Amino acid sequence: MTESDPSDEAGSSSNPGPGSNAANATDDRDEGVSTLAKQGSITFVGNVVNGAFGFAIVMLMTRFVSPGIYGLFVLATSVILFMQVFANLGLPLAIDYFVPQYLDEGERGKAKGVIVQVTATVLVTSSLVAFALAITASQVGALFDEPAMQVALLFLSVTIPMLAIYNVLLTSFYSIKKLQYRVIMRDLVRPTVRFAATAGLLLVGYGLLGLIAGYVVGLFVAITIGAAVFTYKAWDLLTTEIELVAPGPMVKYSVPLAMTSVVFVLMGHVDYFVLGFFLDSDDVGIYRVGYMLGSGLMIIFNSLSPVFKPLIAETRDDIDLVEQRFRIMARWIAGITLPVAIFLSLGASSYLAVLYTPQYSEAAAIVALLAAAFLFNVTFGGPDGSLLQGLGYSRFVFANTLVLFGVNLVVSFALVPILGMEGAAIGSATALFLVGALTLVEVYYLDGIHPFTRDFAKIVAAGVPATIAGAPIPLLLETDLLIAALLPIVVVGVYAGTLIATDAFTEADAQMAAEFSPTLRKWLPIGS
């Protein structure tokens, strides 16, 4: 669960190969687990910082602008992110699939070629899409019956090519396992600059323009620093003589994944479109806050996924090793995410009132529903299908994304006019549950892989007594702040105690824990 610093591990310690006994010998250490732990822990720290700034920015916005203005900003940025998905053709996703393989084979010129070709292509396509959006901004605003949206889209259209380069930099850091520098760019620089710029502009009364300017400035500074760091840290790769690669394999792999890039749009932003079409921008703002709190459960998955995919891609021919790593990742994601989902669902109303303002408490049902859906989905591969991507099954990921889109859109359109915001949440949750189940079926059908073991069952079963212990707290206490503070203590305490009582920790867990801290490794109770 980390993203540390072993820059040269891209194809050595994490790739035992098809004939290896690493997956079967109980006394052999899979160094890929150590890599996953090291790289994931750095990413986790970055995600925590980024998440904290994300919540702080939203708290800032909800206190300085009305739900209507905030909802309008959410709609505008949703349009930008939706268009940006198609602008980059999914090509940045080819970088962290092909580059690790070329580096592992010693073909550094081809690795550089992939990065250069992808960068040049997405700059052209994203600039064209940005121009098209700018000249049609008034029509998009009219569609949502929000005239002010035209101004927002005109200013934000410049971020489409910026986001394309931003994604290229992120996947480039993933591909060479320099994830700590991705943390600097994505999780430290961008949210810090954005928060400072947004706060300053809101304090002097810029309102919607302040939100937009803060977004643009944060992105620009992050790209500038990220590009400088990548150039410095990957100088030996960038100065290698370039060897252009055939575009066919990259396009064949990437274009189906272009739809997977829209996955977050399909899960969340399409909800905003539907809500904006049927309801008011106030409802969009309230729903966004609930969605953000529920989707916070993805923090562990987002910490492991960037390094998990390259690890799977490097050893995709060794199915036993792939399954072993998948099971370890699933257990850790479930084990850390489950107690958070429990106390977040039980105390949703209190957390919304404390973190934001009491008017956002009506999104409590949305938080609980999405928390359950995200928990299920990320445990078994995540909405972007990182396991399937690593195994090279991009067409299956594409098909799953179409299912995600169709189910989300149809259910939301059917239920929002009847149930309001809760209808959109049901649409997203249904799609997340369905795609998670599809992923399980597909990886088992294709390679006979599944995460279900006795050790995994112990992780899930520990959630039952934790839920029973936490359920009375919101009923017995009346103060939101007290409920929000006490629930995590009770739920996590009972959950951890149940894991210890059922002897749920394994040697692989100990290996992962040792990468965080030797003291933690000694404390962890490992059965015989």
Side-chain angles (χ1 to χ4, degrees):
M1 325 195 136
T2 16
E3 63 155 80
S4 81
D5 150 50
S7 50
D8 301 323
E9 293 176 316
S12 53
S13 62
S14 63
N15 188 8
S20 172
N21 294 324
N24 300 317
T26 58
D27 55 348
D28 288 346
R29 290 168 56 93
D30 171 16
E31 293 304 323
V33 173
S34 297
T35 302
L36 188 65
K38 292 175 182 177
Q39 298 294 317
S41 56
I42 293 178
T43 310
F44 174 72
V45 172
N47 284 338
V48 169
V49 173
N50 188 23
F53 269 109
F55 279 108
I57 289 171
V58 174
M59 291 168 66
L60 180 74
M61 292 176 178
T62 55
R63 281 164 170 76
F64 278 88
V65 300
S66 67
I69 294 296
Y70 176 60
L72 181 62
F73 175 73
V74 169
L75 274 176
T77 52
S78 295
V79 171
I80 294 298
L81 294 172
F82 188 82
M83 298 301 296
Q84 192 270 331
V85 167
F86 301 100
N88 65 31
L89 303 175
L91 286 172
L93 294 171
I95 293 177
D96 63 346
Y97 179 73
F98 287 100
V99 170
Q101 296 180 55
Y102 285 134
L103 292 177
D104 186 52
E105 296 165 2
E107 298 181 293
R108 301 178 67 81
K110 289 185 177 180
K112 177 182 176 181
V114 170
I115 295 174
V116 171
Q117 288 171 254
V118 168
T119 303
T121 303
V122 300
L123 263 179
V124 173
T125 56
S126 60
S127 297
L128 292 174
V129 171
F131 178 74
L133 180 61
I135 62 177
T136 59
S138 59
Q139 289 89 334
V140 177
L143 177 65
F144 293 101
D145 196 24
E146 295 284 356
M149 194 171 176
Q150 176 183 358
V151 177
L153 290 177
L154 281 173
F155 283 111
L156 288 170
S157 62
V158 300
T159 64
I160 293 181
M162 293 170 66
L163 285 166
I165 297 303
Y166 180 77
N167 288 327
V168 165
L169 284 169
L170 286 180
T171 52
S172 296
F173 283 128
Y174 299 162
S175 66
I176 61 173
K177 296 194 180 77
K178 295 277 190 178
L179 300 187
Q180 65 271 38
Y181 304 116
R182 171 260 203 186
V183 169
I184 293 174
M185 179 181 77
R186 173 184 175 270
D187 302 323
L188 298 179
V189 174
R190 185 182 179 187
T192 302
V193 174
R194 182 187 176 189
F195 181 84
T198 303
L201 291 168
L202 288 178
L203 284 172
V204 295
Y206 272 91
L208 178 61
L209 291 179
L211 304 185
I212 294 171
Y215 185 89
V216 175
V217 170
L219 184 59
F220 176 78
V221 174
I223 291 171
T224 303
I225 293 179
V229 171
F230 183 74
T231 301
Y232 176 72
K233 292 298 179 180
W235 183 252
D236 57 337
L237 174 62
L238 296 179
T239 54
T240 300
E241 184 176 352
I242 189 172
E243 184 176 350
L244 299 180
V245 301
M250 284 196 299
V251 172
K252 183 180 179 181
Y253 177 80
S254 300
V255 170
L257 292 179
M259 287 302 295
T260 68
S261 298
V262 81
V263 68
F264 293 107
V265 177
L266 301 178
M267 292 187 306
H269 297 290
V270 161
D271 294 355
Y272 308 147
F273 298 152
V274 176
L275 288 170
F277 185 77
F278 286 109
L279 306 176
D280 298 326
S281 56
D282 299 59
D283 297 298
V284 177
I286 293 172
Y287 180 84
R288 167 58 182 160
V289 167
Y291 187 93
M292 179 181 178
L293 193 58
S295 63
L297 291 177
M298 292 193 67
I299 187 170
I300 302 301
F301 172 80
N302 288 337
S303 300
L304 292 173
S305 181
V307 70
F308 179 67
K309 176 185 170 182
L311 282 175
I312 295 300
E314 291 171 359
T315 59
R316 65 192 184 282
D317 293 327
D318 189 344
I319 296 302
D320 288 339
L321 185 56
V322 169
E323 182 175 53
Q324 175 180 299
R325 292 176 176 177
F326 176 40
R327 288 177 172 178
I328 292 172
M329 180 172 174
R331 288 184 70 255
W332 274 72
I333 289 175
I336 299 177
T337 306
L338 178 56
V340 179
I342 292 171
F343 70 70
L344 201 60
S345 299
L346 293 175
S349 179
S350 297
Y351 287 112
L352 289 166
V354 171
L355 292 175
Y356 308 103
T357 56
Q359 63 183 326
Y360 288 95
S361 295
E362 61 182 285
I366 294 168
V367 173
L369 186 58
L370 290 177
F374 274 112
L375 171 64
F376 180 84
N377 188 274
V378 299
T379 300
F380 303 126
D384 63 346
S386 59
L387 176 62
L388 290 169
Q389 285 191 45
L391 289 169
Y393 298 128
S394 58
R395 294 183 181 180
F396 281 88
V397 180
F398 173 56
N400 289 352
T401 306
L402 290 181
V403 172
L404 188 72
F405 173 76
V407 171
N408 194 1
L409 189 64
V410 171
V411 175
S412 295
F413 256 102
L415 296 183
V416 166
I418 302 171
L419 302 177
M421 292 183 293
E422 286 75 12
I426 293 172
S428 282
T430 302
L432 286 167
F433 276 116
L434 182 58
V435 170
L438 278 175
T439 300
L440 282 174
V441 172
E442 287 160 354
V443 295
Y444 184 76
Y445 172 78
L446 293 167
D447 292 309
I449 294 173
H450 69 85
F452 302 114
T453 62
R454 180 179 298 178
D455 293 326
F456 182 82
K458 292 178 180 179
I459 294 291
V460 176
V464 176
T467 303
I468 295 173
I473 293 177
L475 302 176
L476 298 176
L477 302 179
E478 296 182 357
T479 306
D480 286 325
L481 184 59
L482 187 58
I483 293 172
L486 190 58
L487 261 176
I489 298 173
V490 173
V491 170
V492 174
V494 173
Y495 185 80
T498 304
L499 291 180
I500 295 172
T502 57
D503 194 22
F505 298 102
T506 67
E507 287 296 336
D509 297 331
Q511 185 180 345
M512 291 276 280
E515 300 300 338
F516 293 96
S517 165
T519 302
L520 178 61
R521 164 62 185 92
K522 294 176 182 178
W523 174 85
L524 202 66
I526 307 297
S528 57

